[in-house]
Amino acid sequence: MARSKSCESRSGESAGAEAAGGRPLIITEDPLLLDDLLRLCAAAGAEPHVYHAVPGHGAGSGGGNGSGVAVGWESAPLVLVGDDAARRVRGAPRRGGVLLVGRELDDPLVWQRAVEIGAEEVLRLPDAESRLVDRIADVVEGAGRPALAVGVIGGSGGAGASTLACALALRAARAGERTILIDGDPLGGGMDVLLGGEAAEGLRWPDFAGSRGRVGAGALEESLPELHAMRVLSWDRGDRVVVPPAAMRSVVAAARRRGGVVVVDLPRRVDEAVAEVLAQLDLVLMVVPGELRAVAAAGRVAAGVRMVARDVRVVVRGRCPGGLDAEAVAGLLGAPLAGEVPVEVGLPGRVAEGEPPGGQGRGALARFCDGFWQRVLGPAQGVAA
C-alpha cells in the first residue's frame, strides 16, 4: 500500500505513541495469527495490547495483557489488524500506523479491506515477518529522525583520517549531540586506543560478527564503551579482523536509528563490508595531505568510494607546495572542498600523553570540527547543500 501521512496524522501518531507507552495494539480473533503476532512482538522487545475488536467500537474486547485497561484505537502507536478482523474495524476513525496482517492473503478483496480501514501496508506471514519485526521495533525504540552519518577516509596512507574522525565525534559530543564513533578499519590499531580507553568495559566489533537481521539500537548503544561522553565501537586486540557485510550493515543501521551523530573511520580499501557502510552514510570526508603524491593516491581512493557513497567531499590537511591551494586539490579530485585543516603543532605529543584529538577547543583541529558541525547540523539535521 502506498504511504500517505499528513502533518496532522504524524502529530497524532506521536501523541499516541506517548500515551500507549510504545505498546502496539493487536486486533484479531484468529488464534494462529495471534500466536504469530505475539511471537514477533516478543522478538522486537514489545509487549502488545490484544483486543478482538476496536476498543470502544465493538463488543468482545479482551486484553491479552491481563490488565483490563482499555487502550484506544487512536492512542496505540501501531495497530496490527488481523485479516479476520478487518470488516469489524471499518467504522473506526482513520489514523496512521495501521497494518493489515494475515497468514493467507491471496484473497483479491484483501486490498479493498485494507483501503476501507486505512491500512498503510498489507503484510503476509511468514514472508513479511522481518518487515513486521522492524516496524514493531521502531515503535519500541521510538524511532525518529536517523542520525547524521559522516564517514572519514584517508586519501593516502598517514593522511590523519582517524585523528579527524575522533575529533569530529568528540566535538559533536561536547556540543551535546548523541554521538557514536565507529571504527571501520580493523587494521588501524583501535579507536579506543586513540581515545585512551582500550581498557574500558564494553563490546567490540568481534562481539557483533555473528549479528543477523535487526540489531536493537538501544541495546547497541548501552553495550558500547563510553569515552569522552560518546559511545565507541572499536576493534579488540584479537586476531579477528573481518566482520561479515550483513553484520556491518545491521550494526551501522542500529547506530543511526538513535538519532544524533554517527562518525565512521573508514579504511582506504573498499570491500563488500565497507560498501555496506558507505551506502548508509550521508557524507564522506576524504582527508588529503598537502602533497602532490598524496593527491594522486587520493584520486584512486575517490574512484572506489564514489561507486557507493552519494556525497564525497575533500578535506585538505596542510598546505600544498608547488602553487596548489585547497580549492585546486579539490578540483583535481573532482569533489567539493569541505575545508582545510592546518597542521596542529604539538598534537601528536598531546595525544600520546592522553589528550584526545580535538580536545583543545582553541586548536586548529577543534576549530575545523566545530565549524563543520555548525554548517551541516541545522534544525532539520541534514547536510547543507
Side-chain angles (χ1 to χ4, degrees):
M1 293 292 294
R3 300 184 188 182
S4 175
K5 294 183 182 179
S6 66
C7 293
E8 182 178 352
S9 67
R10 286 181 183 272
S11 175
E13 276 185 62
S14 177
E18 184 176 353
R23 298 179 63 177
L25 171 64
I26 296 174
I27 302 175
T28 183
E29 289 183 338
D30 182 339
L32 295 178
L33 178 59
L34 178 58
D35 285 345
D36 283 338
L37 294 178
L38 291 175
R39 171 176 56 84
L40 296 177
C41 283
E47 181 183 356
H49 297 283
V50 181
Y51 285 85
H52 302 309
V54 181
H57 288 80
S61 64
N65 55 10
S67 67
V69 178
V71 176
W73 165 271
E74 297 181 36
S75 65
L78 186 70
V79 180
L80 310 179
V81 179
D83 186 41
D84 64 294
R87 290 184 177 87
R88 296 196 301 280
V89 302
R90 280 186 295 189
R94 291 302 176 102
R95 52 152 293 165
V98 176
L99 309 180
L100 183 61
V101 187
R103 301 174 73 248
E104 295 293 338
L105 297 179
D106 293 332
D107 181 356
L109 296 180
V110 69
W111 299 102
Q112 178 180 333
R113 293 195 289 274
V115 171
E116 290 173 347
I117 67 173
E120 293 180 1
E121 293 185 71
V122 174
L123 302 177
R124 180 175 62 188
L125 304 182
D127 296 349
E129 285 192 356
S130 177
R131 169 64 179 161
L132 187 51
V133 169
D134 282 352
R135 289 298 304 268
I136 298 169
D138 283 344
V139 167
V140 174
E141 295 174 354
R145 187 180 300 278
L148 176 67
V150 177
V152 185
I153 190 168
S156 64
S162 296
T163 298
L164 179 58
C166 273
L168 283 169
L170 180 71
R171 302 310 299 180
R174 289 191 176 180
E177 294 287 339
R178 172 187 277 127
T179 304
I180 296 181
L181 174 61
I182 297 177
D183 185 355
D185 186 356
L187 303 180
M191 298 294 270
D192 53 353
V193 176
L194 189 56
L195 290 165
E198 60 270 25
E201 293 185 2
L203 301 185
R204 267 66 173 181
W205 263 121
D207 298 306
F208 296 97
S211 300
R212 294 293 184 272
R214 184 186 180 103
V215 174
L220 171 69
E221 184 175 14
E222 292 170 6
S223 72
L224 300 179
E226 184 173 3
L227 303 170
H228 304 284
M230 60 183 166
R231 298 288 179 167
V232 180
L233 175 54
S234 186
W235 296 84
D236 61 12
R237 261 45 71 188
D239 295 333
R240 181 158 198 156
V241 294
V242 176
V243 170
M248 279 278 193
R249 178 176 61 250
S250 297
V251 169
V252 175
R256 293 202 67 192
R257 283 197 300 273
R258 294 290 281 181
V261 166
V262 173
V263 179
V264 185
D265 181 39
L266 297 164
R268 289 192 296 134
R269 182 174 178 270
V270 180
D271 57 17
E272 189 177 352
V274 174
E276 291 287 357
V277 178
L278 287 170
Q280 298 189 62
L281 299 179
D282 298 296
L283 171 63
V284 176
L285 298 177
M286 185 167 61
V287 185
V288 183
E291 304 168 0
L292 291 175
R293 201 170 156 209
V295 175
R300 293 189 290 272
V301 175
V305 173
R306 283 197 190 98
M307 293 179 66
V308 186
R310 46 183 169 238
D311 189 349
V312 181
R313 306 184 191 183
V314 173
V315 175
V316 177
R317 179 170 166 264
R319 294 190 177 277
C320 283
L324 286 178
D325 58 16
E327 289 284 357
V329 171
L332 288 172
L333 295 172
L337 178 65
E340 182 178 356
V341 181
V343 174
E344 188 169 326
V345 178
L347 177 61
R350 293 197 301 273
V351 171
E353 293 173 358
E355 178 185 298
Q360 280 203 354
R362 296 183 179 181
L365 184 58
R367 290 198 306 271
F368 171 85
C369 294
D370 291 345
F372 171 80
W373 291 126
Q374 287 171 11
R375 292 192 301 272
V376 302
L377 284 176
Q381 288 281 294
V383 179

